[in-house]
Coordinates of all heavy atoms in Angstrom, one line a residue:
V33 N -7.6 -1.2 -2.3 CA -8.2 -1.7 -1.0 C -9.5 -2.4 -1.5 O -10.3 -1.8 -2.3 CB -8.5 -0.5 -0.1 CG1 -9.3 -1.0 1.1 CG2 -7.2 0.1 0.4
D34 N -9.8 -3.6 -0.9 CA -11.0 -4.4 -1.2 C -12.3 -3.8 -0.9 O -13.2 -3.8 -1.6 CB -10.9 -5.8 -0.6 CG -9.7 -6.6 -0.9 OD1 -9.4 -6.8 -2.2 OD2 -9.0 -7.0 0.0
N35 N -12.4 -3.3 0.4 CA -13.5 -2.8 1.0 C -13.4 -1.4 1.6 O -12.6 -1.2 2.5 CB -14.1 -3.7 2.2 CG -14.5 -5.1 1.5 OD1 -15.7 -5.2 1.2 ND2 -13.6 -6.0 1.4
I36 N -14.1 -0.4 1.1 CA -14.0 0.9 1.4 C -15.2 1.4 2.0 O -16.3 1.3 1.4 CB -13.6 1.9 0.3 CG1 -12.3 1.3 -0.4 CG2 -13.4 3.3 0.7 CD1 -12.0 1.9 -1.8
T37 N -15.2 2.0 3.2 CA -16.4 2.5 3.8 C -16.3 4.0 4.0 O -15.3 4.5 4.6 CB -16.7 1.8 5.3 OG1 -16.9 0.5 5.1 CG2 -18.0 2.4 5.9
L38 N -17.3 4.7 3.6 CA -17.3 6.2 3.7 C -17.8 6.6 5.0 O -18.9 6.1 5.5 CB -18.2 6.8 2.5 CG -17.9 8.1 2.0 CD1 -16.5 8.3 1.5 CD2 -18.9 8.5 0.9
T39 N -17.1 7.6 5.7 CA -17.6 8.0 6.9 C -18.3 9.4 6.9 O -18.7 9.8 8.0 CB -16.5 8.0 8.1 OG1 -15.4 8.9 7.6 CG2 -15.9 6.6 8.2
E40 N -18.1 10.1 5.8 CA -18.6 11.4 5.6 C -19.1 11.6 4.2 O -18.8 10.9 3.3 CB -17.6 12.6 5.9 CG -16.8 12.5 7.2 CD -17.6 13.0 8.4 OE1 -18.5 13.9 8.1 OE2 -17.3 12.5 9.5
N41 N -20.0 12.6 4.0 CA -20.4 13.1 2.7 C -19.2 13.7 2.0 O -18.5 14.3 2.8 CB -21.6 14.1 2.8 CG -22.9 13.5 3.3 OD1 -23.2 12.4 3.2 ND2 -23.6 14.4 4.0
I42 N -19.1 13.4 0.8 CA -17.9 14.1 0.0 C -18.4 14.6 -1.4 O -19.4 14.2 -1.8 CB -16.8 13.1 -0.1 CG1 -17.1 11.9 -1.0 CG2 -16.1 12.6 1.1 CD1 -15.9 11.1 -1.3
E43 N -17.7 15.6 -1.8 CA -18.0 16.2 -3.2 C -16.7 15.9 -4.0 O -15.5 16.3 -3.6 CB -18.2 17.6 -3.1 CG -18.5 18.1 -4.5 CD -18.9 19.7 -4.5 OE1 -18.4 20.4 -3.7 OE2 -19.6 19.9 -5.5
L44 N -16.9 15.3 -5.1 CA -15.8 15.0 -6.1 C -15.6 16.1 -7.1 O -16.7 16.5 -7.6 CB -16.0 13.7 -6.9 CG -16.2 12.4 -6.0 CD1 -16.6 11.3 -6.9 CD2 -15.0 12.1 -5.2
T45 N -14.4 16.5 -7.4 CA -14.2 17.5 -8.4 C -13.6 16.9 -9.7 O -13.3 17.6 -10.7 CB -13.1 18.6 -7.9 OG1 -12.0 17.9 -7.6 CG2 -13.7 19.3 -6.6
K46 N -13.5 15.6 -9.6 CA -13.1 14.9 -10.9 C -13.6 13.4 -10.7 O -14.0 13.0 -9.7 CB -11.7 14.9 -11.1 CG -10.8 14.2 -10.0 CD -9.3 14.2 -10.5 CE -8.5 13.4 -9.5 NZ -7.1 13.3 -9.8
T47 N -13.6 12.8 -11.9 CA -14.1 11.4 -11.9 C -13.1 10.4 -11.3 O -11.9 10.5 -11.7 CB -14.5 10.9 -13.3 OG1 -15.5 11.9 -13.9 CG2 -15.1 9.6 -13.4
L48 N -13.5 9.6 -10.5 CA -12.5 8.6 -9.9 C -12.6 7.3 -10.7 O -13.7 6.9 -11.3 CB -12.9 8.2 -8.4 CG -12.9 9.5 -7.5 CD1 -13.2 8.9 -6.1 CD2 -11.6 10.0 -7.4
V49 N -11.5 6.6 -10.9 CA -11.3 5.4 -11.7 C -11.1 4.2 -10.8 O -10.2 4.2 -10.1 CB -10.3 5.6 -12.7 CG1 -10.2 4.2 -13.5 CG2 -10.5 6.8 -13.6
F50 N -12.1 3.2 -11.0 CA -11.9 1.9 -10.2 C -11.4 0.9 -11.3 O -12.0 0.8 -12.3 CB -13.2 1.5 -9.7 CG -13.7 2.0 -8.5 CD1 -14.5 3.3 -8.5 CD2 -13.4 1.5 -7.2 CE1 -14.9 3.8 -7.3 CE2 -13.8 2.1 -6.1 CZ -14.6 3.2 -6.1
G51 N -10.3 0.2 -11.0 CA -9.8 -0.8 -11.7 C -8.8 -0.2 -12.8 O -8.5 1.0 -12.9
E52 N -8.1 -1.1 -13.5 CA -7.1 -0.8 -14.5 C -7.8 -0.5 -15.8 O -8.7 -1.3 -16.3 CB -6.0 -1.8 -14.6 CG -5.3 -2.0 -13.3 CD -4.4 -0.9 -13.0 OE1 -3.8 -0.3 -14.0 OE2 -4.3 -0.5 -11.9
I53 N -7.4 0.5 -16.6 CA -7.8 0.6 -17.9 C -7.3 -0.5 -18.8 O -6.1 -0.7 -18.8 CB -7.4 2.0 -18.5 CG1 -8.0 3.1 -17.6 CG2 -7.8 2.1 -20.0 CD1 -7.5 4.5 -17.9
P54 N -8.1 -1.3 -19.4 CA -7.7 -2.5 -20.1 C -6.9 -2.2 -21.3 O -7.0 -1.1 -22.0 CB -9.0 -3.3 -20.3 CG -10.0 -2.3 -20.3 CD -9.5 -1.1 -19.5
V55 N -6.1 -3.2 -21.8 CA -5.4 -3.1 -23.0 C -6.3 -3.0 -24.2 O -7.3 -3.7 -24.2 CB -4.5 -4.4 -23.2 CG1 -3.8 -4.4 -24.5 CG2 -3.6 -4.5 -22.0
T56 N -6.1 -2.0 -25.1 CA -7.0 -1.9 -26.2 C -6.6 -2.6 -27.4 O -7.4 -2.8 -28.4 CB -7.2 -0.4 -26.6 OG1 -5.9 0.1 -26.9 CG2 -7.9 0.3 -25.4
N57 N -5.3 -3.1 -27.5 CA -4.9 -3.9 -28.7 C -5.6 -5.3 -28.6 O -5.5 -6.1 -27.7 CB -3.4 -4.1 -28.5 CG -2.8 -5.0 -29.6 OD1 -3.3 -6.0 -29.9 ND2 -1.7 -4.5 -30.2
P58 N -6.4 -5.6 -29.6 CA -7.1 -6.9 -29.6 C -6.3 -8.1 -29.4 O -6.8 -9.1 -28.7 CB -7.9 -6.9 -31.0 CG -7.8 -5.5 -31.5 CD -6.6 -4.9 -30.9
I59 N -5.1 -8.1 -29.9 CA -4.2 -9.4 -29.7 C -3.8 -9.4 -28.3 O -3.9 -10.5 -27.7 CB -3.1 -9.3 -30.7 CG1 -3.5 -9.4 -32.2 CG2 -2.1 -10.5 -30.5 CD1 -2.6 -9.1 -33.2
A60 N -3.3 -8.3 -27.7 CA -2.8 -8.4 -26.4 C -4.0 -8.6 -25.4 O -3.9 -9.3 -24.4 CB -2.2 -7.0 -26.0
R61 N -5.1 -8.1 -25.8 CA -6.4 -8.2 -24.9 C -6.8 -9.7 -24.8 O -7.2 -10.2 -23.8 CB -7.4 -7.4 -25.6 CG -8.6 -7.1 -24.7 CD -9.5 -6.2 -25.4 NE -10.8 -5.9 -24.8 CZ -11.7 -5.3 -25.3 NH1 -11.5 -4.7 -26.5 NH2 -12.8 -5.1 -24.6
A62 N -6.8 -10.4 -26.0 CA -7.2 -11.8 -26.1 C -6.3 -12.6 -25.2 O -6.7 -13.7 -24.7 CB -7.2 -12.2 -27.6
S63 N -5.0 -12.3 -25.1 CA -4.1 -13.1 -24.3 C -4.0 -12.7 -22.8 O -3.4 -13.4 -22.0 CB -2.6 -13.1 -24.9 OG -2.1 -11.7 -24.8
A64 N -4.7 -11.7 -22.4 CA -4.7 -11.2 -21.0 C -5.5 -12.1 -20.2 O -6.6 -12.6 -20.5 CB -5.3 -9.7 -20.9
T65 N -4.9 -12.6 -19.1 CA -5.6 -13.6 -18.2 C -5.9 -13.0 -16.9 O -6.6 -13.6 -16.1 CB -4.6 -14.8 -17.9 OG1 -3.3 -14.3 -17.5 CG2 -4.3 -15.5 -19.3
E66 N -5.4 -11.8 -16.6 CA -5.7 -11.2 -15.3 C -7.1 -10.9 -15.1 O -7.7 -10.3 -16.0 CB -4.7 -10.0 -15.0 CG -4.8 -9.4 -13.6 CD -3.8 -8.4 -13.4 OE1 -2.7 -8.5 -14.0 OE2 -4.2 -7.3 -12.9
E67 N -7.7 -11.2 -14.0 CA -9.1 -10.9 -13.7 C -9.1 -9.4 -13.3 O -8.2 -8.8 -12.7 CB -9.7 -11.7 -12.6 CG -9.9 -13.1 -13.1 CD -11.0 -13.2 -14.1 OE1 -12.1 -12.7 -13.9 OE2 -10.8 -13.9 -15.1
P68 N -10.2 -8.7 -13.6 CA -10.4 -7.3 -13.1 C -10.3 -7.3 -11.6 O -10.8 -8.2 -10.9 CB -11.7 -6.8 -13.7 CG -12.3 -8.0 -14.4 CD -11.4 -9.2 -14.3
S69 N -10.0 -6.2 -11.0 CA -10.0 -5.9 -9.6 C -11.5 -5.9 -9.1 O -12.3 -5.7 -9.8 CB -9.4 -4.5 -9.2 OG -8.1 -4.5 -9.8
S70 N -11.6 -6.2 -7.8 CA -12.9 -6.1 -7.1 C -12.8 -5.2 -6.0 O -11.9 -5.1 -5.2 CB -13.3 -7.5 -6.6 OG -13.4 -8.4 -7.7
Y71 N -13.9 -4.4 -5.9 CA -14.1 -3.4 -4.8 C -15.5 -3.4 -4.3 O -16.4 -3.6 -5.0 CB -13.9 -1.9 -5.4 CG -12.5 -1.7 -6.0 CD1 -12.3 -1.9 -7.3 CD2 -11.5 -1.2 -5.2 CE1 -11.1 -1.7 -7.9 CE2 -10.3 -0.9 -5.8 CZ -10.1 -1.1 -7.1 OH -8.8 -0.9 -7.6
V72 N -15.6 -3.1 -3.0 CA -16.9 -2.8 -2.4 C -16.8 -1.4 -1.8 O -15.9 -1.2 -1.0 CB -17.3 -3.8 -1.3 CG1 -18.6 -3.4 -0.5 CG2 -17.4 -5.3 -1.9
L73 N -17.7 -0.5 -2.2 CA -17.7 0.8 -1.7 C -19.0 1.0 -0.9 O -20.1 1.0 -1.5 CB -17.7 1.9 -2.8 CG -17.8 3.3 -2.4 CD1 -16.6 3.7 -1.4 CD2 -17.7 4.2 -3.6
D74 N -18.9 1.0 0.4 CA -20.0 1.1 1.3 C -20.1 2.6 1.6 O -19.3 3.1 2.3 CB -19.8 0.3 2.6 CG -21.1 0.2 3.5 OD1 -21.9 1.1 3.3 OD2 -21.1 -0.6 4.4
L75 N -21.2 3.2 1.1 CA -21.4 4.6 1.4 C -21.9 4.9 2.8 O -21.8 6.0 3.3 CB -22.4 5.2 0.4 CG -22.0 5.1 -1.2 CD1 -23.0 5.7 -2.0 CD2 -20.6 5.8 -1.3
N76 N -22.3 3.8 3.5 CA -22.6 4.0 4.9 C -23.6 5.0 5.2 O -23.5 5.8 6.2 CB -21.3 4.2 5.7 CG -21.3 4.0 7.2 OD1 -22.2 3.1 7.6 ND2 -20.5 4.8 7.9
G77 N -24.6 5.2 4.4 CA -25.7 6.2 4.6 C -25.3 7.6 4.1 O -26.1 8.5 4.2
N78 N -24.1 7.8 3.6 CA -23.6 9.1 3.1 C -23.9 9.2 1.7 O -24.4 8.3 1.0 CB -22.1 9.1 3.3 CG -21.8 9.2 4.8 OD1 -22.2 10.1 5.6 ND2 -21.1 8.1 5.4
T79 N -23.5 10.5 1.2 CA -23.8 10.9 -0.2 C -22.5 11.3 -0.9 O -21.7 12.1 -0.2 CB -24.8 12.1 -0.3 OG1 -26.0 11.5 0.3 CG2 -25.1 12.5 -1.6
I80 N -22.2 10.9 -2.0 CA -21.2 11.4 -2.9 C -21.8 12.3 -3.9 O -22.7 11.8 -4.6 CB -20.4 10.2 -3.6 CG1 -19.6 9.5 -2.5 CG2 -19.4 10.8 -4.7 CD1 -18.8 8.2 -3.2
T81 N -21.5 13.5 -4.0 CA -21.9 14.5 -5.1 C -20.7 14.8 -5.9 O -19.5 14.7 -5.6 CB -22.4 15.7 -4.4 OG1 -21.5 16.4 -3.6 CG2 -23.7 15.5 -3.7
T82 N -21.0 15.3 -7.1 CA -19.9 15.8 -8.0 C -20.1 17.3 -8.3 O -21.2 17.8 -8.4 CB -19.9 15.0 -9.3 OG1 -21.2 15.1 -10.0 CG2 -19.6 13.5 -9.0
A83 N -18.9 17.9 -8.7 CA -19.0 19.3 -9.1 C -19.2 19.3 -10.6 O -19.2 18.3 -11.3 CB -17.5 19.9 -8.8
W84 N -19.3 20.6 -11.1 CA -19.6 20.8 -12.6 C -18.3 20.5 -13.2 O -17.2 20.8 -12.8 CB -19.9 22.2 -12.8 CG -21.3 22.6 -12.3 CD1 -21.6 23.3 -11.2 CD2 -22.6 22.3 -12.9 NE1 -22.9 23.5 -11.1 CE2 -23.5 22.9 -12.1 CE3 -22.9 21.7 -14.1 CZ2 -24.9 22.9 -12.4 CZ3 -24.3 21.6 -14.4 CH2 -25.2 22.2 -13.6
E85 N -18.6 19.6 -14.3 CA -17.4 19.5 -15.3 C -17.3 20.6 -16.3 O -16.3 21.2 -16.6 CB -17.6 18.2 -16.1 CG -16.5 17.9 -17.2 CD -16.8 16.6 -17.8 OE1 -17.7 15.8 -17.5 OE2 -16.1 16.4 -18.9
D86 N -18.6 21.1 -16.7 CA -18.8 22.1 -17.6 C -20.0 22.8 -17.4 O -21.1 22.4 -17.8 CB -18.7 21.6 -19.1 CG -18.8 22.7 -20.1 OD1 -19.1 23.9 -19.7 OD2 -18.6 22.4 -21.3
E87 N -20.1 23.8 -16.5 CA -21.3 24.4 -16.0 C -22.1 25.0 -17.2 O -23.3 25.0 -17.2 CB -21.0 25.5 -15.0 CG -22.4 25.9 -14.3 CD -22.0 26.8 -13.0 OE1 -20.9 26.9 -12.7 OE2 -23.1 27.2 -12.4
S88 N -21.4 25.6 -18.2 CA -22.1 26.2 -19.3 C -22.8 25.2 -20.2 O -23.9 25.5 -20.7 CB -21.1 27.0 -20.2 OG -20.2 26.2 -20.8
A89 N -22.4 24.1 -20.1 CA -23.0 23.0 -20.8 C -24.0 22.1 -20.0 O -24.7 21.2 -20.4 CB -22.0 22.0 -21.5
G90 N -24.0 22.5 -18.7 CA -24.9 21.9 -17.8 C -24.5 20.4 -17.4 O -25.4 19.5 -17.2
K91 N -23.1 20.1 -17.5 CA -22.7 18.8 -17.2 C -21.9 18.7 -16.0 O -21.0 19.4 -15.8 CB -21.8 18.3 -18.4 CG -22.5 18.1 -19.7 CD -21.6 17.4 -20.8 CE -20.2 17.7 -20.8 NZ -19.6 17.2 -22.0
H92 N -22.3 17.7 -15.1 CA -21.6 17.4 -13.9 C -20.5 16.4 -14.3 O -20.7 15.7 -15.3 CB -22.4 16.8 -12.8 CG -23.1 17.8 -12.0 ND1 -22.6 18.2 -10.7 CD2 -24.1 18.7 -12.2 CE1 -23.4 19.1 -10.2 NE2 -24.2 19.4 -11.0
H93 N -19.5 16.0 -13.4 CA -18.6 15.0 -13.6 C -19.4 13.6 -13.4 O -20.3 13.6 -12.6 CB -17.4 15.0 -12.6 CG -16.5 16.1 -12.9 ND1 -15.5 15.9 -13.8 CD2 -16.3 17.3 -12.4 CE1 -14.7 17.0 -13.9 NE2 -15.2 17.8 -13.0
Y94 N -18.9 12.6 -14.1 CA -19.3 11.2 -13.7 C -18.7 11.0 -12.2 O -17.6 11.4 -12.0 CB -18.8 10.2 -14.6 CG -19.7 10.1 -15.9 CD1 -19.2 10.7 -17.1 CD2 -20.8 9.4 -15.9 CE1 -20.0 10.6 -18.2 CE2 -21.6 9.3 -17.1 CZ -21.2 9.9 -18.2 OH -22.0 9.9 -19.3
A95 N -19.4 10.3 -11.4 CA -18.8 10.0 -10.0 C -17.6 9.0 -10.3 O -16.5 9.2 -9.7 CB -19.8 9.4 -9.2
F96 N -17.9 8.0 -11.1 CA -16.8 6.9 -11.3 C -16.8 6.5 -12.7 O -17.9 6.4 -13.3 CB -17.1 5.6 -10.4 CG -17.5 5.9 -9.0 CD1 -18.6 5.4 -8.5 CD2 -16.6 6.6 -8.1 CE1 -19.0 5.6 -7.2 CE2 -16.9 6.8 -6.8 CZ -18.1 6.3 -6.3
T97 N -15.6 6.1 -13.1 CA -15.4 5.3 -14.4 C -15.0 3.9 -13.8 O -14.0 3.9 -13.1 CB -14.4 5.8 -15.3 OG1 -14.9 7.1 -15.8 CG2 -14.2 4.9 -16.5
N98 N -15.7 2.9 -14.1 CA -15.5 1.5 -13.5 C -15.0 0.6 -14.6 O -15.6 0.3 -15.6 CB -16.8 1.0 -12.9 CG -16.5 -0.4 -12.4 OD1 -15.6 -0.7 -11.7 ND2 -17.5 -1.3 -12.6
Y99 N -13.8 0.0 -14.4 CA -13.2 -1.0 -15.2 C -13.1 -2.4 -14.3 O -12.4 -3.2 -14.6 CB -11.8 -0.6 -15.7 CG -11.8 0.5 -16.6 CD1 -11.6 1.7 -16.2 CD2 -12.1 0.3 -17.9 CE1 -11.5 2.8 -17.1 CE2 -12.1 1.3 -18.8 CZ -11.8 2.5 -18.5 OH -11.7 3.6 -19.3
A100 N -13.7 -2.4 -13.1 CA -13.5 -3.4 -12.2 C -14.9 -4.2 -11.9 O -15.8 -4.0 -12.6 CB -12.9 -2.9 -10.9
N101 N -14.9 -5.1 -10.9 CA -16.1 -5.6 -10.3 C -16.4 -4.7 -9.2 O -15.6 -4.8 -8.2 CB -15.9 -7.0 -9.9 CG -15.7 -8.0 -11.1 OD1 -16.3 -7.9 -12.1 ND2 -14.8 -8.8 -11.0
L102 N -17.3 -3.9 -9.3 CA -17.6 -2.8 -8.3 C -19.0 -3.0 -7.6 O -20.0 -3.1 -8.4 CB -17.5 -1.4 -8.9 CG -17.8 -0.2 -8.0 CD1 -16.9 -0.1 -6.7 CD2 -17.8 1.1 -8.8
V103 N -19.1 -3.0 -6.3 CA -20.3 -3.0 -5.5 C -20.4 -1.7 -4.9 O -19.5 -1.3 -4.1 CB -20.5 -4.2 -4.6 CG1 -21.7 -4.1 -3.8 CG2 -20.3 -5.5 -5.3
V104 N -21.5 -0.9 -5.1 CA -21.7 0.3 -4.4 C -22.9 0.1 -3.5 O -24.0 -0.3 -4.1 CB -21.9 1.5 -5.4 CG1 -22.2 2.8 -4.6 CG2 -20.7 1.6 -6.3
K105 N -22.9 0.4 -2.2 CA -24.1 0.1 -1.4 C -24.3 1.1 -0.3 O -23.4 1.9 0.0 CB -24.0 -1.3 -0.8 CG -22.8 -1.5 0.1 CD -22.8 -3.0 0.6 CE -21.7 -3.2 1.6 NZ -21.7 -4.5 2.1
N106 N -25.5 1.2 0.1 CA -26.0 1.9 1.4 C -25.8 3.4 1.3 O -25.3 4.0 2.3 CB -25.2 1.3 2.5 CG -25.4 -0.1 2.8 OD1 -26.6 -0.7 2.5 ND2 -24.4 -0.9 3.2
G107 N -26.2 4.0 0.2 CA -26.1 5.5 0.2 C -26.5 6.0 -1.1 O -27.2 5.4 -2.0
T108 N -26.1 7.3 -1.4 CA -26.7 8.0 -2.5 C -25.4 8.6 -3.3 O -24.5 9.1 -2.7 CB -27.6 9.1 -2.1 OG1 -28.7 8.6 -1.4 CG2 -28.1 10.0 -3.4
I109 N -25.5 8.6 -4.7 CA -24.6 9.3 -5.5 C -25.4 10.3 -6.4 O -26.4 9.9 -7.0 CB -23.9 8.2 -6.5 CG1 -23.0 7.3 -5.7 CG2 -23.1 9.0 -7.6 CD1 -22.4 6.2 -6.4
K110 N -25.0 11.5 -6.3 CA -25.6 12.6 -7.0 C -24.5 13.1 -8.0 O -23.6 13.8 -7.6 CB -26.1 13.7 -6.1 CG -27.2 13.4 -5.2 CD -27.6 14.6 -4.3 CE -28.7 14.2 -3.4 NZ -29.1 15.2 -2.6
A111 N -24.7 12.7 -9.2 CA -23.6 13.0 -10.2 C -24.2 12.8 -11.6 O -25.4 12.6 -11.9 CB -22.5 12.0 -10.1
R112 N -23.4 13.1 -12.6 CA -23.8 12.8 -14.0 C -24.1 11.3 -14.1 O -24.9 11.0 -15.0 CB -22.7 13.2 -14.9 CG -23.0 13.1 -16.4 CD -21.9 13.7 -17.2 NE -22.1 13.6 -18.6 CZ -21.2 13.8 -19.4 NH1 -20.0 14.3 -19.1 NH2 -21.4 13.6 -20.7
G113 N -23.5 10.5 -13.3 CA -23.8 9.1 -13.3 C -22.5 8.3 -13.1 O -21.5 8.8 -12.6

Side-chain angles (χ1 to χ4, degrees):
V33 172
D34 301 307
N35 291 273
I36 303 167
T37 300
L38 205 59
T39 60
E40 303 286 333
N41 296 327
I42 62 171
E43 181 177 30
L44 303 174
T45 57
K46 65 179 186 177
T47 301
L48 300 180
V49 178
F50 281 88
E52 297 291 321
I53 299 171
V55 177
T56 56
N57 178 311
I59 296 169
R61 192 173 175 188
S63 64
T65 57
E66 188 175 318
E67 289 294 314
S69 303
S70 293
Y71 299 90
V72 175
L73 177 60
D74 186 346
L75 300 177
N76 195 31
N78 292 297
T79 299
I80 292 178
T81 57
T82 59
W84 290 101
E85 177 181 351
D86 182 352
E87 190 168 1
S88 64
K91 294 191 318 188
H92 273 258
H93 286 278
Y94 283 98
F96 313 125
T97 297
N98 178 44
Y99 293 99
N101 294 317
L102 173 62
V103 176
V104 178
K105 62 183 187 175
N106 302 325
T108 302
I109 295 174
K110 294 180 179 178
R112 186 171 173 190

